[in-house]
Amino acid sequence: LTEDEDVQRMLRGSLLRKIKSRGAPRERLFRLQEDGATVCFEGGFGRSRSQQSFSVTHVEAVREGHQSEGLRKYGAAFPERHCFTLVFKGKRKNLDLAARGEEDARHWVQGLTKLMGRLQAMSQPEKLDHWIHGVLQRADRNKDNKMSFREVKSMLRMINIDMDDGYAYQLFKECDRSDNERLEGRELEEFCRRLLRRSNPRVDTALGGWGRDIKGTSASPGRCSGRSGVNAAPLGDRGHPARQQDLMMLDGFMMYLLSAAGDILNQDHTKVHQDMSQPLSHYFISSSHNTYLTRNQIGGTSSTEAYVRALMAGCRCVEL
């Protein structure tokens, strides 16, 4: 998509105004990062200014025009064709934006829609690489595309890995082939993959317990030598990217566990799968109390957006 006109405009960046209930709309430079999934912009004002960002993967929908409560209330001064709203998954508030012109707004709406579709269609290996790249980008404070050990420690905290500093530094030095106290390029990739392996000892145990020797000659199901794999044949094409001689190796096994096939939710249950011909009183119904509140009952504001989120979350009984 890097050759796409809409995405190119996003990569160059656009000045957009954030429409909020309080204060005058401030113009900020919004720019898509080279990973194709992160949008950065400057937030706050005065001394509290800071670089903020959001991931395109966290965007639920893009609405054109004044199709949000915020823009209907506070965006009347801006032409409808200049405005659009980003609706996020989870509890993050909508982002109401106004571009300088209709063309700019159209590029962002179309570009974000294309990127959302592309990211949703990514394979599991692509998603894993993309996640690694995103973490590295956030941890690289001076944006030199290199990671010092200090930045690596920050990254470990970011992804909630509790690792002894001595052990982390040993791993860091093993991957620092250039011996310059910085990881870059292939060194970074190797560090992240080894980190994922070493931070998941139970995966190694499972692979060792159920796998067999890659030569497939003498190892029993309960014991396996150095390089081992799980028989990938019953998994069909799902194991294909990491297969070697019909074996799923460690990387492939990890990706399989992280895929929809390893999800605790039965994928058949994402669609209507029960008998829906019974009387209404025969069913349990997900209900929402104080649906209209965006936060707590004492200080939270009321918004129609709260109903959208409750319904998207599966609630079918709401309070007016």
Side-chain angles (χ1 to χ4, degrees):
L1 286 175
T2 52
E3 301 301 318
D4 182 84
E5 182 184 358
D6 298 318
V7 175
Q8 283 185 345
R9 175 66 67 92
M10 294 172 68
L11 286 165
R12 290 196 298 270
S14 298
L15 289 169
L16 305 173
R17 292 184 185 273
K18 289 176 64 178
I19 312 299
K20 299 188 293 185
S21 59
R22 296 179 181 177
R26 290 187 173 86
E27 205 167 47
R28 298 281 187 254
L29 179 64
F30 283 72
R31 180 183 284 126
L32 177 69
Q33 302 302 292
E34 290 182 4
D35 66 354
T38 308
V39 176
C40 288
F41 60 96
E42 198 175 60
F45 56 93
R47 291 184 177 179
S48 62
R49 278 194 175 185
S50 60
Q51 191 77 4
Q52 297 183 15
S53 65
F54 64 83
S55 173
V56 178
T57 57
H58 296 157
V59 179
E60 181 78 47
V62 185
R63 301 181 194 165
E64 294 183 77
H66 295 166
Q67 290 194 58
S68 72
E69 188 175 31
L71 280 171
R72 284 194 294 269
K73 281 186 176 180
Y74 310 108
F78 300 93
E80 190 166 0
R81 291 187 177 182
H82 293 197
C83 300
F84 59 98
T85 298
L86 305 186
V87 182
F88 292 97
K89 300 170 185 176
K91 295 184 178 181
R92 180 168 179 165
K93 290 183 178 180
N94 291 353
L95 190 55
D96 294 316
L97 299 167
R100 286 187 167 185
E102 181 182 338
E103 186 183 2
D104 240 3
R106 187 175 66 252
H107 281 305
W108 276 86
V109 170
Q110 293 177 172
L112 283 167
T113 303
K114 291 171 188 174
L115 289 171
M116 288 163 62
R118 174 68 186 93
L119 291 166
Q120 196 171 5
M122 281 198 305
S123 66
Q124 197 61 36
E126 287 176 321
K127 286 180 180 177
L128 184 60
D129 286 341
H130 217 280
W131 178 78
I132 290 172
H133 188 279
V135 170
L136 291 173
Q137 191 174 55
R138 294 199 306 275
D140 184 12
R141 293 180 178 178
N142 58 3
K143 306 303 178 188
D144 62 351
N145 293 319
K146 300 177 183 179
M147 296 282 282
S148 64
F149 182 62
R150 184 178 179 183
E151 289 172 321
V152 164
K153 288 205 299 181
S154 173
M155 181 188 74
L156 293 176
R157 289 194 298 271
M158 198 178 292
I159 57 179
N160 203 28
I161 291 181
D162 185 16
M163 185 178 286
D164 176 74
D165 282 359
Y167 180 74
Y169 187 67
Q170 177 189 337
L171 187 60
F172 179 89
K173 290 300 292 180
E174 287 173 6
C175 298
D176 183 17
R177 308 291 186 194
S178 53
D179 198 27
N180 64 352
E181 295 295 323
R182 295 286 190 279
L183 298 182
E184 56 183 310
R186 292 290 184 185
E187 296 173 340
L188 265 175
E189 184 180 334
E190 182 186 353
F191 179 82
C192 287
R193 294 198 177 280
R194 291 176 68 173
L195 184 66
L196 284 172
R197 290 173 185 171
R198 297 193 185 193
S199 61
N200 291 278
R202 291 182 182 179
V203 175
D204 288 327
T205 303
L207 192 69
W210 294 97
R212 60 185 176 88
D213 181 38
I214 193 167
K215 293 179 181 177
T217 51
S218 59
S220 66
R223 297 169 63 97
C224 57
S225 58
R227 296 188 69 206
S228 59
V230 174
N231 182 7
L235 302 175
D237 290 337
R238 286 177 292 190
H240 179 68
R243 275 188 183 180
Q244 291 187 23
Q245 302 175 12
D246 281 330
L247 294 177
M248 181 180 285
M249 309 311 293
L250 182 60
D251 282 347
F253 189 48
M254 277 279 292
M255 290 170 188
Y256 172 70
L257 292 176
L258 292 170
S259 71
D263 201 326
I264 193 171
L265 173 68
N266 185 338
Q267 293 301 300
D268 291 337
H269 294 180
T270 58
K271 304 180 290 290
V272 176
H273 61 283
Q274 302 103 331
D275 173 15
M276 302 305 291
S277 63
Q278 300 295 314
L280 189 63
S281 57
H282 286 201
Y283 300 95
F284 288 103
I285 301 176
S286 295
S287 60
S288 169
H289 180 59
N290 286 346
T291 312
Y292 42 84
L293 293 174
T294 56
R295 291 197 179 184
N296 61 69
Q297 190 167 0
I298 305 300
T301 56
S302 299
S303 171
T304 54
E305 295 296 335
Y307 287 94
V308 175
R309 297 193 177 198
L311 292 169
M312 291 292 288
C315 291
R316 292 296 177 263
C317 174
V318 297
E319 181 179 354
L320 299 178

